[in-house]
Structure formats: structure tokens, C-alpha cells
Amino acid sequence: MTEIVDIDKKYVENSLKQKMNVLKDNRFLMDDVFIPIAKALKIEVEEVIEIFAKKLDFASCYELHAYAEQAKMGCLGRKVDIDLGLCWLSDFFGLIKKEEADLIRKKVVESYLLYKKPYKEALEEGRQMIIKLLKEE
């Protein structure tokens, strides 16, 4: 019985090492996921990779870059909401329709990520759209 436990333990250890190697060798994941998370949490990159390797199966490890792209857009959208006060203007005060706020957020995020405009410039375009909506009668 201890032989089976040893084999299972060895399998888990080897699986973890293999996942960690896959994750470490992916430059996109290092740049877009692991390094930013390590900086935000103020822990070593190796520790972040180990956390991901322990918590994810192999299929999820291979899908991480797609998730990272979605997260980048989602998190930037939240930042835009805060920077432009969309949550106040739309969610709480109802001065801008939710659909309009969504469209403004989307345009700012796309300008920055897809069209490579500087964030401040994309934000300024969003600000101008908001002002125009607020002044409409």
C-alpha cells in the first residue's frame, strides 16, 4: 500500500514540476500575468507560478493567456469607470444610461489596447463623450 502512495505522490510532484516548466517557458504569461501579479502582491514570480501550477489543471494552464487578455480588458474597464466617474454618473446618479456608459468604457479600452492610443488621450476622448451626454437636453 505504501508503494501506491509513493507512486501517487511522485506523480503529483512530477505533474507540478511539468506544469511549472510549461508556465515558466511562456514569455507572454510571464510578461502579462506572473510578473504583474508578483509586483502587485509583492511576492516572488516563482511563488506566483507555483500558486497557479498548484491550483490549475493542465488544460487551464494552456488557456491562461486567453484569460489574461480578457482580464486585461476587464480590469482596464474598471479603471476607466473609476477614472471617468462612470460608476457615479451611471450606476448611482442615473445621469447617463447604462448602455451609454458601457459604450464609452468600451471605446476608451479599445482606443488604448487595440489602437495603441496613450491612456490619457483615450480617457480624454471618453471624458468629452460624457460631457456631451450630460449637456444634452
Side-chain angles (χ1 to χ4, degrees):
M1 188 67 162
T2 59
E3 221 175 278
I4 292 173
V5 173
D6 289 342
I7 291 171
D8 287 345
K9 186 177 178 184
K10 196 71 160 163
Y11 174 79
V12 170
E13 288 172 5
N14 287 337
S15 177
L16 180 63
K17 285 180 189 176
Q18 192 175 9
K19 281 194 276 185
M20 287 189 62
N21 287 335
V22 166
L23 297 175
K24 283 181 196 175
D25 289 343
N26 188 316
R27 191 78 240 152
F28 293 111
L29 290 178
M30 290 298 288
D31 293 343
D32 294 345
V33 178
F34 304 133
I35 292 171
I37 289 173
K39 285 181 181 175
L41 299 178
K42 297 179 181 165
I43 60 176
E44 294 296 320
V45 175
E46 186 80 19
E47 197 173 346
V48 172
I49 294 169
E50 187 176 339
I51 290 167
F52 274 81
K54 284 180 177 178
K55 296 211 177 250
L56 301 177
D57 59 19
F58 269 108
S60 297
C61 288
Y62 284 107
E63 295 171 345
L64 270 178
H65 194 259
Y67 293 145
E69 290 301 314
Q70 289 175 327
K72 193 184 300 183
M73 290 189 87
C75 292
L76 183 59
R78 290 178 186 166
K79 181 172 173 33
V80 168
D81 278 355
I82 292 166
D83 290 346
L84 291 177
L86 283 173
C87 51
W88 290 27
L89 297 170
S90 180
D91 299 345
F92 294 100
F93 299 129
L95 298 174
I96 296 175
K97 293 179 190 167
K98 182 183 178 340
E99 296 79 21
E100 294 169 330
D102 291 345
L103 184 62
I104 292 168
R105 180 185 319 102
K106 181 180 180 216
K107 286 187 176 198
V108 171
V109 169
E110 285 178 351
S111 289
Y112 177 69
L113 290 179
L114 300 179
Y115 302 112
K116 307 295 185 207
K117 280 193 177 176
Y119 180 70
K120 286 185 177 185
E121 194 175 309
L123 208 58
E124 180 58 28
E125 289 174 1
R127 192 177 74 73
Q128 292 300 324
M129 286 185 264
I130 291 170
I131 291 169
K132 183 179 176 186
L133 283 172
L134 291 172
K135 289 185 175 184
E136 283 181 355
E137 290 187 31

